[in-house]
């Protein structure tokens, strides 16, 4: 088996250039009515935001009471806070986004960190093949990373590795747990109900790779820890990327289902909030969401995640465009062969279209004509496409705000100085996602929240956070 390193791509973040629907030169009343209906369906009104928040807070309470609830509210076994003085060198393996990453993390104290990393692309076949092959691939990547960076162990010691495995795992200790379900397009067989650490450790042992899996970490927990290393008042870690989820610090007395050590005052909870509203009680699902859900590898699961995360937004947009085309309200009823394929409308295109503020919408045109091979487009076509993109993008940001507001309300953290670390491509690159979230929080709590709560990019929460978790794990066991 070979592993291929891939280069990372940095795209500068732009602001949303909103299109006023009143400025569109509609081709017919039917087109205008169809657009108005879409605006209605996709807008998260202030009232709906409050309703989602109320139901979300209920879901949190249920998950804290017992296992098996829609929002798993997983106890992470991470107790106690960081102050930035922690030192040590660790390996981190990050699996669960678009790429797999191996990172060497050196914590030098005073909030200072140096890292070196390599990304590897995970073949689509591995994601849905046999679990053993997937974990063998992970071990091979770690091995080739150690070779590439000429990292060697002395004597018979082992490297301590923090394993960021960003799927719903019911943890049974800091480095043990069982997979509840796969998400984000992964569906490797023979893994649900099993311990991912055992699979990984076995793959290392069979290859005599001197690595010990010291901690099993969700990326949200890692993000919280990584942000806390520089911002000790961090109360929440959030991922808005291929998937979405959040973690926060909960008081032990509120975790009714916790049966373990009761001496600690608080513990980080991995909420698994992407699973919220499996019962379809409150989220305003459209037929475009349902169509995408049915075709996904995990239908009926991760309902909130599918309305927010980068893996799905493009496909929802494509479904809306297809519907308009079929009703002859867009592109004169003609589709391009490219747009006709599922998952071809990438969320990255949405970022570009959102930021397009040119008079002729030329960046939008380039995507439609050069990338998606429409032979020509009119200004009206481009405006409608832009509006649809904005509706889907803004809905995602406002639902993210509802989830974050729920946590801030539950903990009361909005009333004091608090930091939220957010990682993920959507937060990093999607125009105005951060602004929409802050606006949503202000809608719920009033202007004070802007003075108290800061949201910031916690880059590489998964790598650095896994190292910090491995460090904490050693503290607990010593
Ligand atoms: C997973 C979470 C993860 C999130 C972000 C979701 O699909 O269930 O565990 O934190 O994606 O990566």
């Amino acid at each position: 088996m070979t592993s291929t390193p891939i280069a990372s791509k940095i795209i500068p973040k732009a602001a949303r250039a909103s299109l006023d629907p009143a400025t569109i030169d509609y081709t017919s009343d039917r087109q205008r009515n169809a657009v108005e209906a879409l605006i209605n369906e996709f807008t998260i009104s202030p009232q709906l935001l409050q309703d989602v928040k109320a139901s979300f807070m209920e879901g949190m309470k249920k998950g804290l009471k017992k296992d098996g609830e829609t929002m798993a509210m997983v106890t992470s076994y991470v107790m106690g806070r960081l102050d930035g003085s922690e030192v040590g060198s660790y390996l981190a393996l990050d699996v669960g986004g678009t790429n797999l990453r191996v990172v060497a993390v050196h914590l030098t104290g005073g909030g200072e960190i140096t890292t070196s990393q390599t990304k590897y692309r995970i073949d689509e076949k591995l994601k849905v093949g046999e679990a053993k092959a997937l974990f063998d691939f992970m071990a091979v990547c770690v091995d080739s990373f150690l070779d590439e960076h000429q990292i060697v162990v002395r004597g018979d010691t082992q490297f301590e590795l923090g394993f960021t495995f960003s799927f719903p795992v019911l943890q049974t200790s800091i480095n043990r747990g069982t997979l509840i379900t796969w998400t984000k397009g992964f569906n490797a067989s023979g893994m649900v109900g099993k311990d991912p650490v055992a699979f990984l450790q076995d793959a290392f042992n069979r290859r005599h790779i001197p690595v010990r899996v010291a901690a099993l970490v969700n990326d949200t927990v890692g993000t919280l820890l990584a942000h806390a290393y520089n911002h000790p008042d961090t109360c929440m870690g959030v991922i808005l990327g291929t998937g979405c989820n959040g973690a926060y610090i909960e008081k032990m007395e509120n975790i009714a289902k916790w049966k373990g050590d009761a001496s600690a005052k608080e513990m980080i909870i991995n909420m698994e909030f992407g699973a919220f509203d499996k019962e379809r009680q409150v989220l305003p699902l459209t037929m475009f969401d349902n169509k995408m859900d049915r075709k996904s590898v995990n239908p009926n699961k991760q309902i909130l995640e599918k309305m927010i995360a980068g893996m799905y937004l493009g496909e929802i947009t494509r479904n809306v465009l297809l519907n308009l085309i079929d009703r002859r309200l867009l592109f004169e009823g003609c589709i391009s062969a490219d747009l006709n394929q599922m998952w071809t409308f990438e969320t990255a295109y949405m970022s570009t279209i959102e930021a397009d503020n040119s008079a002729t919408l030329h960046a939008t045109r380039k995507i439609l004509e050069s990338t998606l091979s429409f032979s020509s487009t009119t200004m009206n076509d481009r405006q409608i496409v832009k509006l649809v993109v904005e509706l889907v993008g803004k809905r995602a940001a406002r639902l993210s705000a509802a989830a974050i507001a729920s946590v801030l309300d539950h903990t009361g953290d909005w009333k004091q100085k608090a930091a939220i670390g957010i990682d993920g491509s959507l937060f990093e690159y999607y125009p105005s996602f951060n602004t929409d979230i802050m606006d949503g929080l202000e809608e719920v709590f009033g202007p004070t929240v802007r003075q108290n709560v800061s949201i910031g990019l916690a880059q590489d929460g998964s790598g650095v956070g896994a190292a910090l978790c491995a460090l904490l794990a050693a503290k607990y066991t010593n």
Side-chain angles (χ1 to χ4, degrees), residues 282-307:
V282 64
L283 291 174
L285 289 154
T286 66
M287 64 187 217
F288 313 106
D289 296 290
N290 291 330
K291 186 173 168 198
M292 178 273 295
D293 178 43
R294 272 187 208 110
K295 300 275 181 188
S296 66
V297 298
N298 55 347
N300 285 320
K301 290 187 174 153
Q302 301 294 107
I303 296 298
L304 178 62
E305 174 163 79
K306 286 175 177 157
M307 297 175 90

PDB file of all heavy atoms in Angstrom, residues 282-307:
ATOM      1  N   VAL A 282     -38.140  20.141  14.119  1.00  0.00           N
ATOM      2  CA  VAL A 282     -38.017  21.596  14.111  1.00  0.00           C
ATOM      3  C   VAL A 282     -37.226  22.151  12.926  1.00  0.00           C
ATOM      4  O   VAL A 282     -37.489  23.267  12.478  1.00  0.00           O
ATOM      5  CB  VAL A 282     -37.452  22.083  15.487  1.00  0.00           C
ATOM      6  CG1 VAL A 282     -36.053  21.560  15.706  1.00  0.00           C
ATOM      7  CG2 VAL A 282     -37.432  23.603  15.611  1.00  0.00           C
ATOM      8  N   LEU A 283     -36.289  21.377  12.396  1.00  0.00           N
ATOM      9  CA  LEU A 283     -35.479  21.918  11.290  1.00  0.00           C
ATOM     10  C   LEU A 283     -36.327  22.043  10.027  1.00  0.00           C
ATOM     11  O   LEU A 283     -37.099  21.130   9.700  1.00  0.00           O
ATOM     12  CB  LEU A 283     -34.262  21.018  11.033  1.00  0.00           C
ATOM     13  CG  LEU A 283     -33.206  21.043  12.133  1.00  0.00           C
ATOM     14  CD1 LEU A 283     -32.109  20.019  11.853  1.00  0.00           C
ATOM     15  CD2 LEU A 283     -32.598  22.437  12.289  1.00  0.00           C
ATOM     16  N   PRO A 284     -36.194  23.178   9.313  1.00  0.00           N
ATOM     17  CA  PRO A 284     -37.052  23.417   8.145  1.00  0.00           C
ATOM     18  C   PRO A 284     -36.526  22.693   6.899  1.00  0.00           C
ATOM     19  O   PRO A 284     -36.060  23.325   5.953  1.00  0.00           O
ATOM     20  CB  PRO A 284     -36.966  24.939   7.985  1.00  0.00           C
ATOM     21  CG  PRO A 284     -35.607  25.289   8.502  1.00  0.00           C
ATOM     22  CD  PRO A 284     -35.280  24.308   9.585  1.00  0.00           C
ATOM     23  N   LEU A 285     -36.602  21.364   6.921  1.00  0.00           N
ATOM     24  CA  LEU A 285     -36.067  20.586   5.791  1.00  0.00           C
ATOM     25  C   LEU A 285     -36.892  20.828   4.531  1.00  0.00           C
ATOM     26  O   LEU A 285     -38.115  20.837   4.578  1.00  0.00           O
ATOM     27  CB  LEU A 285     -36.088  19.101   6.140  1.00  0.00           C
ATOM     28  CG  LEU A 285     -35.049  18.701   7.186  1.00  0.00           C
ATOM     29  CD1 LEU A 285     -35.491  17.477   7.948  1.00  0.00           C
ATOM     30  CD2 LEU A 285     -33.710  18.476   6.512  1.00  0.00           C
ATOM     31  N   THR A 286     -36.211  21.002   3.428  1.00  0.00           N
ATOM     32  CA  THR A 286     -36.906  21.196   2.151  1.00  0.00           C
ATOM     33  C   THR A 286     -36.816  19.901   1.349  1.00  0.00           C
ATOM     34  O   THR A 286     -36.058  18.991   1.705  1.00  0.00           O
ATOM     35  CB  THR A 286     -36.215  22.305   1.338  1.00  0.00           C
ATOM     36  OG1 THR A 286     -34.903  21.834   0.992  1.00  0.00           O
ATOM     37  CG2 THR A 286     -36.098  23.606   2.111  1.00  0.00           C
ATOM     38  N   MET A 287     -37.534  19.862   0.223  1.00  0.00           N
ATOM     39  CA  MET A 287     -37.426  18.659  -0.609  1.00  0.00           C
ATOM     40  C   MET A 287     -36.012  18.507  -1.180  1.00  0.00           C
ATOM     41  O   MET A 287     -35.578  17.407  -1.504  1.00  0.00           O
ATOM     42  CB  MET A 287     -38.447  18.692  -1.736  1.00  0.00           C
ATOM     43  CG  MET A 287     -38.268  19.791  -2.734  1.00  0.00           C
ATOM     44  SD  MET A 287     -39.678  19.771  -3.853  1.00  0.00           S
ATOM     45  CE  MET A 287     -38.920  20.195  -5.386  1.00  0.00           C
ATOM     46  N   PHE A 288     -35.277  19.627  -1.239  1.00  0.00           N
ATOM     47  CA  PHE A 288     -33.909  19.572  -1.777  1.00  0.00           C
ATOM     48  C   PHE A 288     -32.964  18.914  -0.771  1.00  0.00           C
ATOM     49  O   PHE A 288     -32.032  18.215  -1.148  1.00  0.00           O
ATOM     50  CB  PHE A 288     -33.430  20.989  -2.129  1.00  0.00           C
ATOM     51  CG  PHE A 288     -34.467  21.751  -2.911  1.00  0.00           C
ATOM     52  CD1 PHE A 288     -35.213  22.773  -2.327  1.00  0.00           C
ATOM     53  CD2 PHE A 288     -34.750  21.395  -4.218  1.00  0.00           C
ATOM     54  CE1 PHE A 288     -36.195  23.438  -3.030  1.00  0.00           C
ATOM     55  CE2 PHE A 288     -35.731  22.058  -4.939  1.00  0.00           C
ATOM     56  CZ  PHE A 288     -36.460  23.084  -4.339  1.00  0.00           C
ATOM     57  N   ASP A 289     -33.240  19.149   0.520  1.00  0.00           N
ATOM     58  CA  ASP A 289     -32.458  18.480   1.566  1.00  0.00           C
ATOM     59  C   ASP A 289     -32.782  16.983   1.557  1.00  0.00           C
ATOM     60  O   ASP A 289     -31.890  16.145   1.647  1.00  0.00           O
ATOM     61  CB  ASP A 289     -32.826  19.040   2.950  1.00  0.00           C
ATOM     62  CG  ASP A 289     -32.461  20.498   3.089  1.00  0.00           C
ATOM     63  OD1 ASP A 289     -31.266  20.801   3.151  1.00  0.00           O
ATOM     64  OD2 ASP A 289     -33.376  21.353   3.098  1.00  0.00           O
ATOM     65  N   ASN A 290     -34.078  16.676   1.451  1.00  0.00           N
ATOM     66  CA  ASN A 290     -34.485  15.272   1.504  1.00  0.00           C
ATOM     67  C   ASN A 290     -33.905  14.472   0.347  1.00  0.00           C
ATOM     68  O   ASN A 290     -33.486  13.326   0.510  1.00  0.00           O
ATOM     69  CB  ASN A 290     -36.008  15.162   1.500  1.00  0.00           C
ATOM     70  CG  ASN A 290     -36.586  15.679   2.808  1.00  0.00           C
ATOM     71  OD1 ASN A 290     -35.938  15.596   3.855  1.00  0.00           O
ATOM     72  ND2 ASN A 290     -37.779  16.247   2.755  1.00  0.00           N
ATOM     73  N   LYS A 291     -33.866  15.101  -0.815  1.00  0.00           N
ATOM     74  CA  LYS A 291     -33.332  14.404  -1.993  1.00  0.00           C
ATOM     75  C   LYS A 291     -31.853  14.075  -1.767  1.00  0.00           C
ATOM     76  O   LYS A 291     -31.406  12.966  -2.036  1.00  0.00           O
ATOM     77  CB  LYS A 291     -33.500  15.317  -3.211  1.00  0.00           C
ATOM     78  CG  LYS A 291     -33.125  14.671  -4.516  1.00  0.00           C
ATOM     79  CD  LYS A 291     -33.477  15.561  -5.677  1.00  0.00           C
ATOM     80  CE  LYS A 291     -32.830  15.032  -6.953  1.00  0.00           C
ATOM     81  NZ  LYS A 291     -32.766  16.031  -8.004  1.00  0.00           N
ATOM     82  N   MET A 292     -31.106  15.046  -1.241  1.00  0.00           N
ATOM     83  CA  MET A 292     -29.684  14.817  -0.983  1.00  0.00           C
ATOM     84  C   MET A 292     -29.511  13.741   0.093  1.00  0.00           C
ATOM     85  O   MET A 292     -28.704  12.827  -0.051  1.00  0.00           O
ATOM     86  CB  MET A 292     -29.042  16.146  -0.548  1.00  0.00           C
ATOM     87  CG  MET A 292     -27.584  16.088  -0.198  1.00  0.00           C
ATOM     88  SD  MET A 292     -27.319  15.651   1.491  1.00  0.00           S
ATOM     89  CE  MET A 292     -28.045  17.054   2.286  1.00  0.00           C
ATOM     90  N   ASP A 293     -30.325  13.830   1.149  1.00  0.00           N
ATOM     91  CA  ASP A 293     -30.216  12.870   2.251  1.00  0.00           C
ATOM     92  C   ASP A 293     -30.425  11.433   1.759  1.00  0.00           C
ATOM     93  O   ASP A 293     -29.674  10.523   2.100  1.00  0.00           O
ATOM     94  CB  ASP A 293     -31.247  13.223   3.335  1.00  0.00           C
ATOM     95  CG  ASP A 293     -31.226  12.235   4.486  1.00  0.00           C
ATOM     96  OD1 ASP A 293     -30.120  11.866   4.914  1.00  0.00           O
ATOM     97  OD2 ASP A 293     -32.307  11.813   4.941  1.00  0.00           O
ATOM     98  N   ARG A 294     -31.458  11.252   0.921  1.00  0.00           N
ATOM     99  CA  ARG A 294     -31.747   9.902   0.418  1.00  0.00           C
ATOM    100  C   ARG A 294     -30.582   9.290  -0.330  1.00  0.00           C
ATOM    101  O   ARG A 294     -30.369   8.089  -0.298  1.00  0.00           O
ATOM    102  CB  ARG A 294     -32.932   9.955  -0.548  1.00  0.00           C
ATOM    103  CG  ARG A 294     -34.224   9.827   0.154  1.00  0.00           C
ATOM    104  CD  ARG A 294     -35.373   9.698  -0.803  1.00  0.00           C
ATOM    105  NE  ARG A 294     -36.530  10.231  -0.139  1.00  0.00           N
ATOM    106  CZ  ARG A 294     -37.131  11.352  -0.470  1.00  0.00           C
ATOM    107  NH1 ARG A 294     -36.752  12.025  -1.543  1.00  0.00           N
ATOM    108  NH2 ARG A 294     -38.147  11.789   0.225  1.00  0.00           N
ATOM    109  N   LYS A 295     -29.826  10.131  -1.032  1.00  0.00           N
ATOM    110  CA  LYS A 295     -28.713   9.621  -1.859  1.00  0.00           C
ATOM    111  C   LYS A 295     -27.402   9.535  -1.076  1.00  0.00           C
ATOM    112  O   LYS A 295     -26.382   9.117  -1.616  1.00  0.00           O
ATOM    113  CB  LYS A 295     -28.480  10.548  -3.056  1.00  0.00           C
ATOM    114  CG  LYS A 295     -29.668  10.689  -3.961  1.00  0.00           C
ATOM    115  CD  LYS A 295     -29.692   9.566  -4.964  1.00  0.00           C
ATOM    116  CE  LYS A 295     -30.890   9.746  -5.890  1.00  0.00           C
ATOM    117  NZ  LYS A 295     -31.105   8.621  -6.761  1.00  0.00           N
ATOM    118  N   SER A 296     -27.404   9.990   0.169  1.00  0.00           N
ATOM    119  CA  SER A 296     -26.150   9.989   0.925  1.00  0.00           C
ATOM    120  C   SER A 296     -25.863   8.573   1.432  1.00  0.00           C
ATOM    121  O   SER A 296     -26.741   7.707   1.392  1.00  0.00           O
ATOM    122  CB  SER A 296     -26.264  10.959   2.107  1.00  0.00           C
ATOM    123  OG  SER A 296     -27.230  10.490   3.016  1.00  0.00           O
ATOM    124  N   VAL A 297     -24.625   8.332   1.922  1.00  0.00           N
ATOM    125  CA  VAL A 297     -24.324   6.979   2.415  1.00  0.00           C
ATOM    126  C   VAL A 297     -24.981   6.709   3.772  1.00  0.00           C
ATOM    127  O   VAL A 297     -25.035   5.575   4.205  1.00  0.00           O
ATOM    128  CB  VAL A 297     -22.796   6.675   2.516  1.00  0.00           C
ATOM    129  CG1 VAL A 297     -22.119   6.742   1.178  1.00  0.00           C
ATOM    130  CG2 VAL A 297     -22.113   7.553   3.537  1.00  0.00           C
ATOM    131  N   ASN A 298     -25.488   7.768   4.416  1.00  0.00           N
ATOM    132  CA  ASN A 298     -26.123   7.568   5.733  1.00  0.00           C
ATOM    133  C   ASN A 298     -27.494   8.260   5.792  1.00  0.00           C
ATOM    134  O   ASN A 298     -27.686   9.195   6.561  1.00  0.00           O
ATOM    135  CB  ASN A 298     -25.206   8.068   6.858  1.00  0.00           C
ATOM    136  CG  ASN A 298     -24.791   9.523   6.669  1.00  0.00           C
ATOM    137  OD1 ASN A 298     -24.980  10.101   5.598  1.00  0.00           O
ATOM    138  ND2 ASN A 298     -24.232  10.132   7.694  1.00  0.00           N
ATOM    139  N   PRO A 299     -28.467   7.791   4.970  1.00  0.00           N
ATOM    140  CA  PRO A 299     -29.770   8.458   4.965  1.00  0.00           C
ATOM    141  C   PRO A 299     -30.412   8.498   6.354  1.00  0.00           C
ATOM    142  O   PRO A 299     -30.204   7.580   7.161  1.00  0.00           O
ATOM    143  CB  PRO A 299     -30.617   7.611   4.006  1.00  0.00           C
ATOM    144  CG  PRO A 299     -29.740   6.553   3.476  1.00  0.00           C
ATOM    145  CD  PRO A 299     -28.395   6.650   4.072  1.00  0.00           C
ATOM    146  N   ASN A 300     -31.149   9.585   6.585  1.00  0.00           N
ATOM    147  CA  ASN A 300     -31.860   9.779   7.861  1.00  0.00           C
ATOM    148  C   ASN A 300     -30.965  10.025   9.058  1.00  0.00           C
ATOM    149  O   ASN A 300     -31.441  10.044  10.188  1.00  0.00           O
ATOM    150  CB  ASN A 300     -32.778   8.588   8.190  1.00  0.00           C
ATOM    151  CG  ASN A 300     -33.994   8.627   7.325  1.00  0.00           C
ATOM    152  OD1 ASN A 300     -34.551   9.704   7.080  1.00  0.00           O
ATOM    153  ND2 ASN A 300     -34.389   7.480   6.816  1.00  0.00           N
ATOM    154  N   LYS A 301     -29.660  10.162   8.816  1.00  0.00           N
ATOM    155  CA  LYS A 301     -28.762  10.430   9.937  1.00  0.00           C
ATOM    156  C   LYS A 301     -28.124  11.790   9.728  1.00  0.00           C
ATOM    157  O   LYS A 301     -28.058  12.284   8.607  1.00  0.00           O
ATOM    158  CB  LYS A 301     -27.664   9.375  10.013  1.00  0.00           C
ATOM    159  CG  LYS A 301     -28.206   8.040  10.450  1.00  0.00           C
ATOM    160  CD  LYS A 301     -27.099   7.066  10.693  1.00  0.00           C
ATOM    161  CE  LYS A 301     -27.648   5.778  11.282  1.00  0.00           C
ATOM    162  NZ  LYS A 301     -26.796   4.639  10.949  1.00  0.00           N
ATOM    163  N   GLN A 302     -27.608  12.379  10.798  1.00  0.00           N
ATOM    164  CA  GLN A 302     -26.850  13.639  10.732  1.00  0.00           C
ATOM    165  C   GLN A 302     -27.646  14.725  10.004  1.00  0.00           C
ATOM    166  O   GLN A 302     -27.145  15.384   9.096  1.00  0.00           O
ATOM    167  CB  GLN A 302     -25.499  13.397  10.042  1.00  0.00           C
ATOM    168  CG  GLN A 302     -24.620  12.369  10.735  1.00  0.00           C
ATOM    169  CD  GLN A 302     -24.146  12.793  12.114  1.00  0.00           C
ATOM    170  OE1 GLN A 302     -24.645  12.250  13.103  1.00  0.00           O
ATOM    171  NE2 GLN A 302     -23.252  13.732  12.223  1.00  0.00           N
ATOM    172  N   ILE A 303     -28.888  14.924  10.430  1.00  0.00           N
ATOM    173  CA  ILE A 303     -29.794  15.842   9.733  1.00  0.00           C
ATOM    174  C   ILE A 303     -29.304  17.291   9.832  1.00  0.00           C
ATOM    175  O   ILE A 303     -29.272  18.006   8.833  1.00  0.00           O
ATOM    176  CB  ILE A 303     -31.229  15.693  10.298  1.00  0.00           C
ATOM    177  CG1 ILE A 303     -31.757  14.279  10.017  1.00  0.00           C
ATOM    178  CG2 ILE A 303     -32.173  16.726   9.720  1.00  0.00           C
ATOM    179  CD1 ILE A 303     -31.890  13.921   8.557  1.00  0.00           C
ATOM    180  N   LEU A 304     -28.904  17.742  11.020  1.00  0.00           N
ATOM    181  CA  LEU A 304     -28.410  19.122  11.123  1.00  0.00           C
ATOM    182  C   LEU A 304     -27.094  19.275  10.358  1.00  0.00           C
ATOM    183  O   LEU A 304     -26.884  20.255   9.645  1.00  0.00           O
ATOM    184  CB  LEU A 304     -28.215  19.523  12.599  1.00  0.00           C
ATOM    185  CG  LEU A 304     -27.662  20.944  12.810  1.00  0.00           C
ATOM    186  CD1 LEU A 304     -28.610  21.996  12.256  1.00  0.00           C
ATOM    187  CD2 LEU A 304     -27.397  21.232  14.285  1.00  0.00           C
ATOM    188  N   GLU A 305     -26.222  18.268  10.500  1.00  0.00           N
ATOM    189  CA  GLU A 305     -24.933  18.331   9.793  1.00  0.00           C
ATOM    190  C   GLU A 305     -25.157  18.519   8.292  1.00  0.00           C
ATOM    191  O   GLU A 305     -24.450  19.278   7.628  1.00  0.00           O
ATOM    192  CB  GLU A 305     -24.154  17.039  10.039  1.00  0.00           C
ATOM    193  CG  GLU A 305     -22.863  16.932   9.246  1.00  0.00           C
ATOM    194  CD  GLU A 305     -21.922  15.872   9.802  1.00  0.00           C
ATOM    195  OE1 GLU A 305     -22.129  14.666   9.550  1.00  0.00           O
ATOM    196  OE2 GLU A 305     -20.986  16.241  10.508  1.00  0.00           O
ATOM    197  N   LYS A 306     -26.171  17.844   7.782  1.00  0.00           N
ATOM    198  CA  LYS A 306     -26.409  17.913   6.335  1.00  0.00           C
ATOM    199  C   LYS A 306     -26.954  19.277   5.896  1.00  0.00           C
ATOM    200  O   LYS A 306     -26.956  19.570   4.711  1.00  0.00           O
ATOM    201  CB  LYS A 306     -27.345  16.777   5.908  1.00  0.00           C
ATOM    202  CG  LYS A 306     -26.629  15.434   5.894  1.00  0.00           C
ATOM    203  CD  LYS A 306     -27.563  14.290   5.604  1.00  0.00           C
ATOM    204  CE  LYS A 306     -26.792  12.976   5.522  1.00  0.00           C
ATOM    205  NZ  LYS A 306     -27.642  11.814   5.789  1.00  0.00           N
ATOM    206  N   MET A 307     -27.430  20.087   6.853  1.00  0.00           N
ATOM    207  CA  MET A 307     -27.884  21.446   6.480  1.00  0.00           C
ATOM    208  C   MET A 307     -26.774  22.475   6.675  1.00  0.00           C
ATOM    209  O   MET A 307     -26.927  23.627   6.280  1.00  0.00           O
ATOM    210  CB  MET A 307     -29.100  21.841   7.325  1.00  0.00           C
ATOM    211  CG  MET A 307     -30.294  20.943   7.093  1.00  0.00           C
ATOM    212  SD  MET A 307     -31.667  21.346   8.194  1.00  0.00           S
ATOM    213  CE  MET A 307     -32.534  22.556   7.213  1.00  0.00           C
TER     214      MET A 307
END
